[in-house]
Amino acid sequence: MRIQQRGAAALGVVVVMVIAGAVLGDGWVMLLGACGLLFFLLAGVMAWFNLSKLDCRIRTPKRVSAGESFDMELWLQNGRRVMDAFQVEVRLRLPGETKLAVVAPWTAAGSCSYRQQGHVLPRRAFAEQHSVDFLSSFPLGLFRVRRETVVRFEVTVTPRAITPVELNRDGSMFDAQPRGGVTAGQTFGEPRGIRPWQPGDSARRIHWPASARAMARGHDLRVREFDPPGFHPDHCHLVYHSYASGGEMLREDRFERSISLLCGALQLMQANGIPVVLTADFNDWQPVMVDSRAKMVEELMSLAKVERSRGTEAHDLERALQAVAQDHGLVMISDMAPDSWAHLLVPHPHSLVIDIRQIRYRHKTLHAEAASA
């Protein structure tokens, strides 16, 4: 426990009174100074005793999502029998370098104070014990007392899920019921028919023979209408890596972005009932099947603890790509720009590449945008 004296001026006056009384032989001045010193001594003892035998208990959900609010319950327990606790500030250090401060104005002896409030953790993390500080300026603000302790409770902060723009570009990535086979990510879906031209339609969709016949009759252009484009696989491989050629600079913020994009892709595929095999270098290239809600939750818990792989080699990535069948969908995610590793995808020309540079964190809300970081 640390005690910091704050009433330095008042203490200096008391000390001067004691010295002056002793030098001048004035007993009354010396008595007043001695009473002042005794008062400071009692205030210091009360300030120290005010934080003694205090305990803190925290209750939160064991699994929370980064960036989403959750309820946190805090109890300040006064284990003393004879003295209440006054003006106690509880500062709790939570995962992700965040802090929570709560003030308990009065906690009766042998009782506790309770506080419930919403809180948000901005980053993924995992922790089993947390540092807690008790602070108080009671009584009269003459001393600032601080006591440190540790409270144990397990909390896992799963990554914030961001759906990559490539999965929803020009339409939905998946139908409600997945279809067999694979369609290239940048191609259109199955033809549905021909309809009149509308503002915003691409010139590539104009059906010129039908448009010529329609315009000869005084009508507008005609365009082809397609089903939603994109991948519609029965089985999808999602490969994550941290490989780059050309000495590209490592950036920790991009690793966190890529984990968020990975979570968003997994959740979108799981929501559409598509089994996913996740192969990642931070898992030592061991494939993990994500084909159910339970497996999805388990993988989110695992992603809250992963660290960036420092030794990813080109042959490791090539070996992981060779394990992907040609008739299966392939989605690639990396914390490195695709320009430095896209040359390894020659055997998989129809793979879907997630570009890490699509996130703009200057916005208040985290939406994936087609913009360079």
Side-chain angles (χ1 to χ4, degrees), residues 14 16-22 24-36:
V14 171
V16 169
M17 291 178 63
V18 174
I19 296 176
L24 299 176
D26 192 334
W28 287 106
V29 175
M30 186 181 299
L31 179 60
L32 289 175
C35 292

Side-chain angles (χ1 to χ4, degrees), residues 350-366:
H350 299 306
S351 60
L352 182 63
V353 175
I354 306 301
D355 194 341
I356 186 62
R357 297 168 297 183
Q358 65 187 262
I359 307 297
R360 296 176 60 186
Y361 273 81
R362 294 182 180 179
H363 290 198
K364 293 182 179 179
T365 56
L366 292 180

Side-chain angles (χ1 to χ4, degrees), residues 33 45 48 120 124 126 133 157 211 213 243 267 301 334:
V45 171
W48 178 87
V120 177
R124 66 182 184 92
F126 171 78
D133 293 338
V157 186
S211 298
R213 292 192 296 269
Y243 169 76
Q267 288 186 356
M301 299 286 283
S334 175

